[in-house]
Amino acid sequence: MSSVLPLSAGSGRWNGEGMNANTHTHTPTAVSVLGLGQMGAALAAAFLAAGHPTTVWNRTPAKAEPLVDRGAAHAATVAEAVAASDLIVVCVLDYPAVRALLGPEAPALRGRTVVNLTTGSPEQARAEAEWAAGHGIGYLDGGIMTTPPGIGDSAHMILYAGDAEPLARYRPVLAVLGDPVDLGRDAGLASLYDAGLLGLMWSVFGGWLHATALTGADGVTARDFTRVADRWLRTVAWFMGGYAEQIDQGEYPGADATIDVQVAAIGHLLHAGDARGVDGRLPRLHLELMRSAVDAGHGGDSYARLIEAFRK
Ligand code: FVH
């Protein structure tokens, strides 16, 4: 078991007023990680690799052993982990578990910062932020937009929302996990974006798997199809940029491609799928949404008009 290195300057404590002398330094910063499941272990490993003195705690203590072998200090209790660092990163199953761990430690957490990277709802995140504020605890809610192997790679985003000052203070430390994206002071926004982005991911996965089954029925390998799909997704992202402008303006001119044209195009997809015995539930759902816009007299608008179908 390694000992925790001393901080090189200042206490690093959050006082709710402004940055102290530690702000924006890249000096080793003590951090405690609560929860060493697949993700928590990856987070702790990234802090250790970056040279930050890392204290770890897990409900099942054996999971700490590989991290202790790499230089982490093991805390036998949550209280010990809280006492070891002013920056406490929590990544456990859900928010009830977070509160069960942190609740009894509220007095000891006063003046420290909790970064909660557990997945939950915006409402849970806001409640946690309110609880933290009520106890004088700096609070950041986070959404990890990658899987454990992606931790430590700045190509991947970690979303943060909550108190500004702790984010400014600990940004260089948190940056070793992934690119920190600040979504603002409403602590619920990281969870809200996280949920929306996961929904986007599942839609993309669904469309990609459907298309891979379709092309695979004629002998195309998933790898060959995916090489082309990868480029197509970049074009789709470009479409989305233009459509986002339309949505924010509330006007959907079909100057690039109309919904009418896309209703015709999706018919070819359905035909090709039916002819190959491919499940067509996903494209049929899209067709249903498009038809609702056509039936309401918006066939000449762009695809962005379908936002109205989701807003009901
Ligand atoms: N794995 C991933 O790719 C995703 C990426 C996006 C973010 N999620 C969220 O991260 C949280 C943890 O997920 P995980 O993958 O690390 O999950 P597990 O490997 O199953 O580890 C769960 C840890 O939670 C501990 N735990 C569960 N319940 C309690 C409790 N009541 N009290 C204290 N700790 C608890 C568990 O402890 P143990 O079973 O080892 O004793 C693990 O440390 C999650 O919100 C994802 O949505 C990951």
Side-chain angles (χ1 to χ4, degrees):
M1 189 177 297
S2 77
S3 61
V4 174
L5 296 171
L7 280 173
S8 61
S11 74
R13 286 258 177 132
W14 182 70
N15 59 17
E17 289 167 4
M19 302 179 197
N20 73 8
N22 260 356
T23 306
H24 299 314
T25 61
H26 291 263
T27 51
T29 300
V31 55
S32 293
V33 179
L34 305 182
L36 302 173
Q38 294 194 40
M39 185 51 86
L43 301 174
F47 288 130
L48 282 169
H52 294 297
T54 305
T55 298
V56 294
W57 174 88
N58 194 59
R59 180 180 62 177
T60 308
K63 289 189 186 170
E65 284 167 15
L67 292 156
V68 170
D69 289 345
R70 292 158 81 168
H74 182 238
T77 61
V78 174
E80 261 183 56
V82 169
S85 313
D86 288 332
L87 173 60
I88 320 290
V89 173
V90 192
C91 188
V92 291
L93 181 65
D94 55 22
Y95 276 63
V98 172
R99 182 64 70 85
L101 297 179
L102 299 185
E105 305 305 326
L109 283 165
R110 179 173 289 277
R112 302 180 200 266
T113 293
V114 169
V115 177
N116 183 11
L117 298 178
T118 304
T119 303
S121 71
E123 287 69 31
Q124 288 176 315
R126 287 175 186 139
E128 214 56 28
E130 201 177 322
W131 173 84
H135 290 87
I137 303 164
Y139 185 79
L140 286 169
D141 208 88
I144 302 175
M145 303 316 301
T146 189
T147 54
I151 292 298
D153 182 345
S154 62
H156 305 290
M157 297 182 290
I158 305 206
L159 311 176
Y160 294 99
D163 293 324
E165 197 274 341
L167 181 55
R169 179 196 305 274
Y170 291 117
R171 192 181 179 96
V173 186
L174 297 172
V176 307
L177 306 177
D179 185 28
V181 175
D182 180 9
L183 296 177
R185 311 288 65 87
D186 173 355
L189 284 185
S191 294
L192 191 64
Y193 271 64
D194 184 44
L197 290 172
L198 288 177
L200 175 61
M201 177 187 77
W202 290 316
S203 291
V204 171
F205 278 172
W208 167 68
L209 290 171
H210 176 266
T212 300
L214 180 80
T215 51
D218 284 10
V220 180
T221 65
R223 180 186 286 238
D224 282 348
F225 175 71
T226 302
R227 256 196 291 269
V228 177
D230 178 66
R231 287 190 61 185
W232 174 234
L233 284 177
R234 289 176 237 179
T235 303
V236 172
W238 178 67
F239 296 155
M240 283 163 52
Y243 288 160
E245 298 288 330
Q246 293 190 357
I247 290 168
D248 286 342
Q249 285 161 17
E251 289 173 7
Y252 315 99
D256 58 345
T258 63
I259 299 172
D260 283 337
V261 156
Q262 303 205 44
V263 166
I266 205 167
H268 304 309
L269 174 64
L270 284 164
H271 167 81
D274 289 346
R276 288 161 179 78
V278 173
D279 189 301
R281 281 176 291 176
L282 266 181
R284 283 200 169 80
L285 173 64
H286 296 306
L287 176 59
E288 193 184 310
L289 289 166
M290 291 183 213
R291 280 205 178 124
S292 67
V294 171
D295 292 347
H298 301 304
D301 285 355
S302 82
Y303 203 85
R305 162 68 71 178
L306 295 189
I307 187 78
E308 307 292 356
F310 288 98
R311 279 178 172 158
K312 77 179 174 61

